[in-house]
Amino acid sequence: MHPDNITEWLEKSSKAEDLPHIHSHLFRHTAASTMIANGIDLVTTAAELGCTDATTTAEIYAHQIAKARAAAVGIRAGVFATIRKVE
């Protein structure tokens, strides 16, 4: 399938439903962001996207990685708070 077919289908579907046009590449970004937000490691995320280098994926999705790290800090804080209560 030619990539333009997907772009044309999205454009026609968006117009028919009176929605803003989105580019098919947005689905790739959504998939990557969702994987990272759900704790999938960068090497696996990069491989799923077809990237040969996880470094590029890390650079593009640095904002998602920062959010995932912040969530991890919150989880660790909760674990330590629970341990302190038990002691």
Side-chain angles (χ1 to χ4, degrees):
M1 178 183 283
H2 194 276
D4 287 345
N5 292 344
I6 296 169
T7 302
E8 289 171 12
W9 177 83
L10 279 171
E11 187 172 342
K12 287 178 186 176
S13 298
S14 298
K15 282 183 181 179
E17 298 298 325
D18 198 29
L19 297 170
H21 173 70
I22 59 168
H23 193 277
S24 58
H25 202 73
L26 181 63
F27 296 113
R28 177 183 178 87
H29 289 300
T30 301
S33 296
T34 301
M35 285 187 274
I36 293 167
N38 284 285
I40 305 299
D41 63 274
L42 279 175
V43 173
T44 301
T45 299
E48 288 292 311
L49 296 173
C51 299
T52 56
D53 186 3
T55 304
T56 303
T57 304
E59 290 172 2
I60 294 170
Y61 298 100
H63 63 287
Q64 282 301 118
I65 295 165
K67 288 179 186 178
R69 285 186 178 152
V73 168
I75 290 168
R76 277 194 309 274
V79 169
F80 291 128
T82 302
I83 291 170
R84 286 187 191 124
K85 288 179 186 177
V86 172
E87 293 175 348

